[in-house]
Amino acid sequence: MYTIKNISRRVSVCHLTTALVSTMVLMPLQAQAQTTVVTPNTDMEEILVEGQVSVNPALSSAIPKNSSALPAADGGDFLRSLPGVDGSRMGGHGIDPVIRGQARTQLNIINNGVFTYNGCPNRMDPPSSYSDIQTTDLVIVQRGYQSVQYGPGGTGGTVIFEHQAPTFEEGQTLKAAASAGYESNGDIFSLSGDGSAKVGAGYVRTNGHFKDAGNYEDGSGKEVRSSFKQYGGSVEAGLKDEDTEASVGMSYERIEDALFAGAGMDSPQSENISLRGSFDQDLSDTALIRAVHVNAYWSDVDHVMDNFSLRDRMMMFREADTSTTSYGGKFVADLEAGETKFNVGVDLQNRNMDGVRIGNDMNPDMLNFVQAVLIPDVDVNQIGFFIEGTTPVAEKVTLKAGLRYDHVSTSHNAADQVTTMGMLRSPNALYQKYYGVTAKDKTEDNVSGLLRLEYNLSASSTAYFGVSRSIRTADITERSIASDMGNVPMMNMSWIGNPNLAPEKHYQIDAGYGLRRDDWSLLLSAYYDEVDDYIFRDHARGQDGILVSDGALIYRNIDARLWGIEAEGSLKLADKLTLAADAAYTSGQNKDLDIPLPQIPPFSGKLSLTYEEQDWELGGRMRWAVTQTRVDDNAMTGSGRDVQETPGWAVFDLFGRYDLTKGITVRAGVSNILDKTYANHLNRENTNDGTEIQVNEPGRSFYIRLQATL
């Protein structure tokens, strides 16, 4: 939970980015008339939200409803507007975030305290796609491994989406907000509403949203299969006084008729229901324990994809029905002994994923054959114990240390289930064919930790240096997917998980410097990450541990290296004119093959110039990326996951805001003004045949959004 404090109205500070080599490069973010300070109730550093300038250079935050960023299709799309975050596109929905070259379960995605996982093995529905970005109060991104408190894994970073408890002014009992928006490219219409009521010492908050998007056109006027419909909402009730805060809530999200240009299937429906509860008690009058925090959650995702209901198909009809259920919780005690503050806790995270692909070669109305046991009813259960604290070690120098132990147990409950069409074989038969093993109950004992020195150089500048070891267990797709496409001897399109994968072990060094002044700011960070047993998706070529050489998609452990530099900042050119920028560079290397790791973003960033008055603003933005020449695009020698050496690009946007009256605001703009045709380097894979497909980004689009608060 995070407390928001408003400070005096002034032009907010955005970002200025220094070049990552020897020159200076600049990019855009948003300038706001209201600057907000977010102070977490843990030891996380204080943040300037709208300006996104923090004393921690590897931490960013934003309030989506106040953002001048481009309209976002979902949570993952919004994250791409923040420094150091990229994402891969498969259609108009389901942008999968990437931080420091890491994705999927290398990132911890927490939505209102809930760990929700994708229902689709191919991640048509990454966890961020189920966040209600239109009514989310706060988004926080920690780049890199900064804390042991946010669950197992998270080697690349942690993303937190927050709906916060409402606050009421004296005498106020009701609060409400609503918005409506339209985007011309794709004929996209959106609505959202948010209401809160004070009930005695408690509150009730409800919100809902709706978005209907058609296919957009790229810069060449080519229609891209990208339409979708999403709607949902949540309700929360809570109690809050000076010492105690408790809440319970429920959220519902549904995505319908989502088309994916980058896949061989579309998704008629995806649905998520989640329940959550939290309790926080202040015990500041006690000698040692200053507070306790408890939360629990349950989340269920049901996902359907097929190759015929939303596209033309004459034969070979297939449908995949998969589901993921996760539940868990966390207990944390805040302790204090002298000048040392630390947190001790335990967390639990259990998840199950199950699904089959059914089919009929001739009749889509009689899908009564099991063609593949895609995910054989797999359980991954984790319990973790952690301690993390800070203590001064010298004048202006603070040491942060954390230690975490995780016990992981896994089981494949349907690995012997045999299909009823095609090759008539089980997942275990496939594991045996490719790896010489079958799925058995397995346990892991993983130890992670970090040490970090933070030096307050002055009241406005901070530097840090840290080392860490973090461990990520293989996710359910990596260890168990059994997409059987036959016994083709070459260019086999099967996709087979490896139940014998070792967990990834990341050994990281990171450093940073942050300076914030009234008229300018600069944030720099760098990292180096040696990875043992990196989980690598490859093609079967008879490598060590792989028994077949037929080109099927398989998983194996390799050694890898990641390193990069990030920069952001701002410069006030005049009283009401602000230049802002950020940029990031990541390099990834497959040490086993001495070739680049695939799916690493190129050097990229944003540059903006904003003029702001009290009741209006106008700005321009450039988004850019250089050509990515470090690629793994040959399936005969590597993974072939990169489509190409993606050309560099630069696109320009205009944005503005006007306050019609108190509580009513219009935001409008034009994205990709020059209607450029371009694609992000990050692409996605086709579950059906394993091919990599790069989907073009939208061309020019005009947008407008009306916001009202009461």
Side-chain angles (χ1 to χ4, degrees):
M1 186 70 66
Y2 302 85
T3 303
I4 297 183
K5 301 184 295 182
N6 291 326
I7 62 177
S8 60
R9 191 178 190 92
R10 59 186 173 88
V11 176
S12 69
V13 184
C14 288
H15 305 288
L16 162 112
T17 299
T18 305
L20 300 184
V21 215
S22 59
T23 61
M24 183 168 275
V25 184
L26 299 170
M27 141 172 183
L29 253 142
Q30 61 263 28
Q32 320 278 319
Q34 180 79 20
T35 297
T36 304
V37 173
V38 177
T39 307
N41 63 8
T42 66
D43 292 329
M44 190 186 301
E45 295 83 348
E46 185 177 85
I47 312 157
L48 276 172
V49 172
E50 276 89 348
Q52 303 194 11
V53 178
S54 74
V55 295
N56 182 345
L59 187 148
S60 300
S61 57
I63 298 176
K65 64 189 72 175
N66 291 345
S67 172
S68 295
L70 300 177
D74 58 17
D77 198 14
F78 178 79
L79 289 172
R80 295 199 298 176
S81 70
L82 302 184
V85 184
D86 211 323
S88 59
R89 177 185 292 279
M90 192 171 5
H93 194 269
I95 306 297
D96 208 359
V98 176
I99 300 174
R100 294 186 170 182
Q102 300 190 54
R104 297 175 170 83
T105 55
Q106 293 169 323
L107 308 178
N108 281 336
I109 309 293
I110 307 171
N111 190 4
N112 290 317
V114 178
F115 282 84
T116 293
Y117 289 89
N118 52 292
C120 173
N122 201 29
R123 296 177 70 88
M124 289 179 173
D125 61 335
S128 55
S129 68
Y130 291 110
S131 64
D132 175 9
I133 199 65
Q134 295 186 66
T135 61
T136 292
D137 294 321
L138 178 65
V139 178
I140 294 177
V141 176
Q142 296 183 5
R143 301 192 299 276
Y145 192 70
Q146 298 192 38
S147 174
V148 300
Q149 298 191 51
Y150 294 104
T155 56
T158 296
V159 177
I160 300 170
F161 296 93
E162 280 280 344
H163 282 86
Q164 299 180 317
T167 57
F168 298 90
E169 297 179 1
E170 185 175 352
Q172 186 182 29
T173 58
L174 295 174
K175 296 177 68 175
S179 71
Y182 178 77
E183 300 167 55
S184 63
N185 193 349
D187 198 24
I188 302 171
F189 177 70
S190 61
L191 285 172
S192 68
D194 193 343
S196 304
K198 185 177 181 181
V199 183
Y203 68 89
V204 175
R205 178 179 180 181
T206 63
N207 59 69
H209 66 98
F210 172 85
K211 177 169 286 189
D212 188 7
N215 293 335
Y216 66 73
E217 294 182 352
D218 66 15
S220 299
K222 181 181 177 180
E223 185 173 294
V224 177
R225 302 183 77 256
S226 55
S227 65
F228 68 92
K229 182 184 295 183
Q230 181 170 6
Y231 56 91
S234 67
V235 59
E236 180 176 289
L239 295 170
K240 186 176 182 180
D241 59 27
E242 292 183 358
D243 299 322
T244 306
E245 184 172 347
S247 66
V248 293
M250 179 182 74
S251 298
Y252 176 78
E253 290 292 323
R254 185 176 176 88
I255 305 153
E256 296 179 349
D257 297 341
L259 304 187
F260 292 96
M265 288 186 170
D266 302 307
S267 178
Q269 67 179 57
S270 293
E271 187 176 63
N272 172 231
I273 301 174
S274 62
L275 305 175
R276 61 186 184 274
S278 66
F279 175 81
D280 300 278
Q281 179 65 50
D282 182 18
L283 302 171
S284 55
D285 293 334
T286 63
L288 178 63
I289 302 177
R290 312 312 294 256
V292 294
H293 314 278
V294 182
N295 86 291
Y297 67 88
W298 173 88
S299 177
D300 183 73
V301 174
D302 292 304
H303 175 78
V304 178
M305 58 181 175
D306 65 44
N307 64 1
F308 59 88
S309 66
L310 299 174
R311 60 178 68 189
D312 295 332
R313 187 84 179 186
M314 299 299 294
M315 58 187 302
M316 303 287 288
F317 304 103
R318 300 289 185 267
E319 177 181 295
D321 301 289
T322 53
S323 63
T324 299
T325 300
S326 57
Y327 64 92
K330 181 164 73 170
F331 171 84
V332 183
D334 299 345
L335 294 88
E336 188 171 332
E339 295 183 301
T340 300
K341 299 178 181 179
F342 54 101
N343 309 102
V344 178
V346 56
D347 55 33
L348 178 71
Q349 191 179 126
N350 296 332
R351 59 189 182 274
N352 171 271
M353 191 172 185
D354 189 18
V356 297
R357 185 166 60 217
I358 56 179
N360 188 304
D361 287 347
M362 302 305 297
N363 189 348
D365 298 321
M366 296 182 63
L367 302 177
N368 47 8
F369 298 100
V370 177
Q371 188 272 326
V373 183
L374 280 180
I375 304 292
D377 190 13
V378 179
D379 292 312
V380 176
N381 301 322
Q382 297 172 289
I383 184 169
F385 302 88
F386 59 85
I387 181 171
E388 184 172 272
T390 60
T391 188
V393 294
E395 185 180 2
K396 298 184 179 182
V397 180
T398 300
L399 173 67
K400 178 179 181 179
L403 184 66
R404 179 180 182 91
Y405 163 75
D406 287 290
H407 178 75
V408 183
S409 61
T410 68
S411 60
H412 294 61
N413 303 307
D416 290 317
Q417 180 180 342
V418 177
T419 60
T420 59
M421 71 179 297
M423 300 304 298
L424 306 182
R425 55 187 172 187
S426 67
N428 263 339
L430 293 167
Y431 306 149
Q432 183 70 47
K433 173 184 175 181
Y434 285 91
Y435 308 107
V437 301
T438 57
K440 301 182 183 303
D441 292 351
K442 185 179 178 181
T443 61
E444 297 172 3
D445 294 287
N446 300 327
V447 178
S448 303
L450 62 86
L451 289 172
R452 181 180 176 121
L453 283 173
E454 300 177 354
Y455 182 26
N456 294 320
L457 299 168
S458 67
S460 59
S461 63
T462 301
Y464 72 86
F465 176 83
V467 295
S468 66
R469 178 185 196 260
S470 53
I471 298 182
R472 176 186 79 93
T473 190
D475 68 31
I476 292 178
T477 297
E478 293 165 335
R479 69 171 72 243
S480 67
I481 189 167
S483 177
D484 189 358
M485 302 297 283
N487 281 333
V488 180
M490 296 294 292
M491 302 299 292
N492 192 307
M493 296 184 293
S494 297
W495 186 359
I496 312 301
N498 184 349
N500 207 35
L501 286 170
E504 279 185 3
K505 305 166 190 69
H506 291 250
Y507 300 88
Q508 301 189 51
I509 300 173
D510 64 331
Y513 171 77
L515 174 65
R516 183 171 67 204
R517 297 284 177 84
D518 289 341
D519 55 357
W520 68 283
S521 66
L522 176 65
L523 304 174
L524 301 170
S525 58
Y527 57 92
Y528 181 89
D529 183 3
E530 285 284 344
V531 190
D532 292 346
D533 295 320
Y534 182 93
I535 297 173
F536 185 59
R537 206 199 78 188
D538 205 350
H539 287 272
R541 298 188 301 274
Q543 304 97 318
D544 185 26
I546 308 301
L547 307 183
V548 180
S549 182
D550 63 0
L553 295 176
I554 51 91
Y555 291 93
R556 62 190 186 97
N557 291 113
I558 64 169
D559 291 336
R561 179 186 302 118
L562 293 159
W563 67 271
I565 310 172
E566 301 157 336
E568 58 178 300
S570 67
L571 176 64
K572 186 179 289 188
L573 300 176
D575 182 46
K576 299 176 181 180
L577 187 65
T578 302
L579 185 68
D582 69 57
Y585 175 78
T586 299
S587 174
Q589 186 74 5
N590 179 333
K591 295 171 63 178
D592 284 19
L593 297 177
D594 195 25
I595 61 174
L597 281 177
Q599 293 299 282
I600 300 297
F603 180 36
S604 59
K606 314 177 191 73
L607 168 69
S608 69
L609 184 65
T610 305
Y611 183 87
E612 184 177 30
E613 293 283 355
Q614 181 171 327
D615 57 357
W616 65 274
E617 71 175 16
L618 182 65
R621 171 189 300 119
M622 179 179 71
R623 296 173 282 135
W624 56 269
V626 304
T627 300
Q628 177 58 292
T629 59
R630 289 180 50 80
V631 297
D632 175 0
D633 60 355
N634 188 342
M636 302 303 294
T637 58
S639 72
R641 289 188 60 194
D642 292 324
V643 171
Q644 62 174 333
E645 293 189 2
T646 306
W649 51 267
V651 296
F652 300 88
D653 313 317
L654 288 177
F655 59 89
R657 169 188 58 84
Y658 183 68
D659 298 334
L660 296 174
T661 63
K662 181 180 180 180
I664 300 179
T665 298
V666 174
R667 297 181 183 274
V670 187
S671 61
N672 194 355
I673 297 172
L674 302 180
D675 208 18
K676 183 176 180 61
T677 302
Y678 72 104
N680 195 337
H681 174 68
L682 302 177
N683 52 258
R684 301 284 284 278
E685 58 273 1
N686 184 340
T687 299
N688 278 358
D689 59 18
T691 57
E692 307 294 339
I693 301 176
Q694 201 169 58
V695 179
N696 281 347
E697 295 291 313
R700 183 189 301 118
S701 184
F702 297 86
Y703 64 89
I704 187 170
R705 180 171 52 159
L706 178 67
Q707 299 171 295
T709 58
L710 174 64

